[in-house]
Amino acid sequence: MARPQLSVSPYWELIFDADGDAETRSRDRLLTGVAQHGVRDLLVFAHGWNSDRSGATRLYDRFFTHVPRLATTAKIGYVGVVWPSMRFSDEPIPDFPRSVAATTTARPTLDKDTRHALLETFPGRATVVDQLARLLDQQSREEAELDEFVRLVRLLVDLVPPGPQALFAADTLAEGVPQDEPEMFRATAAEVCGEFGRALARVRSPGQASFSLPNPWEGAHELLRQAAYFAMKRRAGTVGERGLGRVIGQLAERSPRTRVHLIGHSFGGRLVSFALRGLPEGVRTVKSVTLLQAAFSHYAFAARLPHDSRAGGVLQGQQNRIDGPLVCCYSEHDDALGTMYPLASRMAGHDRELHEVAIGRALGVKWGALGFDGVQAVPGTRNMKLAEALRGPLPAKGCVNVDAAAVVRRGGPPAGAHSDIAHRELARLVLAAGRVRGPAAAPDVPPG
């Protein structure tokens, strides 16, 4: 496969498989190239779960293109992490105008591109994918057909897979609380599909009451998407800890003076955060981590959960592995994280109180995402507006929440503002977090 050409240089692609093993050639090109180019600051960007390789490359190009004009004299290298995620074809491509992005149809189906993506993401499941597609096409009124669809989704995503991936699904850890199959597969098919259908209606028409019953097959289609979300969540942690963390350690041996700056969007934020847990002992070359609309629990870094003093975040204390700050960008406009994420998380078996909380944004207090309201329950976390953060200085260590709603606000359903991240201001924030040397261009501080 041809190597992608980006508008920035030097650029390396770093490829991982589902178990976190790095493709040898891409890893070796990176390790050798960083030393040859004398790179002082290396920006490492990981895409989210709803992306394919070409979409990820376009996102990296759109984000990185701002950097050379912001740090004209810095010796910067660029890395795009490619991991086996997938993109449903009805999802907008990150940061592409709505006019060229696919939109959600009134009748949910599995088109050819989505089938292909499912087959690549879950190899060996061709028969299952074909059966799922047939059931969605038929949309039978029989409850047994809906039950069969849910059973097939469960089979597709392989809830307790062989190998290491089963260890990376949790966001929080509690004594005596098993991390097993998602709760979404314990409720009846009618219940779970109806719940997802109602949530979809709220995302598409915020603030408007709906008096019609949702099509359960729309909820079934969303169940498939969220089941894939669960599998990709597990995979992002695997690739981060077993893959990227190890490569950063190898890079530290080869180029100990190179300063590494990790950037992650959506589940890519989870990936780069788990990379901290995979760093070899004594490696201090990670100088900053910037999370852009990160799709994992806002309690992931907490030592204790507000609602359960026995439990803590799965990444508690990992921010201390950074020789610099962990900057978490969030936006109230991100409906994907404000509504669908807490619903899916509540239904993912990470808590035993499935039916004790009303559906909606009230879920966000307990099942909220970092990209919607920032790091929670970590003492000393600094909260800043984007304008303040860009004026600086940012804290030298610890967690920093940056309200990026001034720029992260565009897009339509179903992704909405979640993928609206390729902004010059956010590129400036990455450089500021890492204290990357080099004079910046004229300020472009957003209002507020």
Side-chain angles (χ1 to χ4, degrees):
M1 186 176 293
R3 294 172 61 185
Q5 299 296 315
L6 267 69
S7 58
V8 294
S9 180
Y11 172 79
W12 297 276
E13 198 174 62
L14 184 57
I15 303 171
F16 295 98
D17 68 14
D19 289 329
D21 293 322
E23 182 197 64
T24 303
R25 285 181 298 177
S26 70
R27 182 199 61 202
D28 291 348
R29 279 196 294 262
L30 170 65
L31 298 178
T32 301
V34 166
Q36 289 178 342
H37 285 83
V39 171
R40 182 176 187 274
D41 291 282
L42 188 69
L43 307 186
V44 181
F45 200 151
H47 65 80
W49 80 278
N50 232 330
S51 190
D52 55 20
R53 184 179 184 181
S54 61
T57 301
R58 287 192 291 265
L59 173 61
Y60 298 152
D61 196 31
R62 288 167 64 83
F63 191 90
F64 284 150
T65 193
H66 301 295
V67 173
R69 294 190 293 272
L70 293 169
T72 56
T73 61
K75 301 191 71 173
I76 296 176
Y78 306 85
V79 176
V81 174
V82 176
W83 58 286
S85 178
M86 68 168 289
R87 187 178 72 84
F88 278 73
S89 65
D90 61 352
E91 292 279 6
I93 297 171
D95 297 290
F96 264 51
R98 290 184 62 189
S99 60
V100 299
T103 57
T104 302
T105 60
R107 183 181 177 86
T109 60
L110 285 187
D111 58 55
K112 182 178 68 174
D113 290 340
T114 299
R115 291 190 203 188
H116 179 72
L118 286 169
L119 290 172
E120 285 203 333
T121 306
F122 305 105
R125 296 286 193 270
T127 301
V128 175
V129 172
D130 288 343
Q131 290 174 314
L132 288 168
R134 176 182 58 79
L135 289 169
L136 271 179
D137 285 340
Q138 294 175 349
Q139 296 195 19
S140 169
R141 294 180 180 273
E142 297 293 327
E143 190 170 324
E145 297 291 274
L146 205 60
D147 289 338
E148 175 65 4
F149 185 89
V150 174
R151 185 189 73 81
L152 290 169
V153 171
R154 188 182 191 281
L155 180 62
L156 176 71
V157 301
D158 198 6
L159 295 175
V160 186
Q165 291 190 41
L167 303 173
F168 297 95
D171 277 0
T172 58
L173 300 173
E175 295 178 6
V177 180
Q179 299 294 334
D180 46 19
E181 72 179 49
E183 196 72 41
M184 69 179 87
F185 294 110
R186 297 179 190 166
T188 68
E191 287 173 340
V192 71
C193 294
E195 200 158 2
F196 275 127
R198 288 187 290 273
L200 277 175
R202 285 194 299 276
V203 170
R204 292 170 183 166
S205 302
Q208 297 182 18
S210 176
F211 300 100
S212 60
L213 292 175
N215 176 1
W217 288 101
E218 284 198 356
H221 185 266
E222 186 61 27
L223 170 69
L224 174 58
R225 192 194 312 274
Q226 295 300 334
Y229 142 91
F230 180 80
M232 293 305 102
K233 171 183 180 179
R234 184 176 60 205
R235 188 173 290 181
T238 306
V239 173
E241 182 167 334
R242 291 173 51 86
L244 182 57
R246 292 177 179 177
V247 172
I248 294 172
Q250 293 166 347
L251 180 65
E253 291 182 358
R254 298 277 291 272
S255 301
R257 294 186 178 181
T258 297
R259 308 168 75 250
V260 176
H261 311 282
L262 302 179
I263 311 159
H265 170 238
S266 190
F267 272 163
R270 182 182 182 85
L271 191 157
V272 300
S273 297
F274 269 77
L276 299 173
R277 208 167 71 168
L279 290 176
E281 192 66 31
V283 171
R284 304 293 297 177
T285 55
V286 176
K287 302 301 180 180
S288 68
V289 174
T290 305
L291 306 179
L292 304 173
Q293 303 310 113
F296 62 109
S297 174
H298 55 195
Y299 294 134
F301 294 96
R304 292 289 180 269
L305 304 185
H307 55 275
D308 186 352
S309 61
R310 302 168 303 163
V314 72
L315 295 172
Q316 56 184 280
Q318 292 302 317
Q319 67 272 22
N320 298 323
R321 302 296 307 274
I322 310 167
D323 191 23
L326 183 146
V327 177
C328 177
C329 294
Y330 68 94
S331 172
E332 65 181 357
H333 303 299
D334 192 335
D335 284 326
L337 295 184
T339 299
M340 297 310 298
Y341 173 85
L343 176 61
S345 295
R346 190 194 69 167
M347 302 180 82
H350 296 154
D351 199 285
R352 291 171 288 183
E353 303 174 23
L354 176 62
H355 299 293
E356 295 180 11
V357 182
I359 302 172
R361 294 200 177 196
L363 290 170
V365 174
K366 193 169 185 179
W367 286 275
L370 286 158
F372 188 70
D373 60 3
V375 174
Q376 302 294 316
V378 176
T381 297
R382 177 83 177 273
N383 295 290
M384 310 176 78
K385 294 282 190 179
L386 180 58
E388 178 189 2
L390 291 179
R391 282 192 293 267
L394 288 169
K397 289 281 291 182
C399 296
V400 186
N401 289 329
V402 175
D403 183 350
V407 296
V408 180
R409 58 187 308 122
R410 294 193 300 270
H418 182 62
S419 294
D420 183 26
I421 60 166
H423 292 284
R424 187 171 185 268
E425 296 92 337
L426 298 183
R428 281 187 60 199
L429 187 65
V430 168
L431 298 177
R435 288 167 165 73
V436 178
R437 296 175 183 172
D444 52 358
V445 177

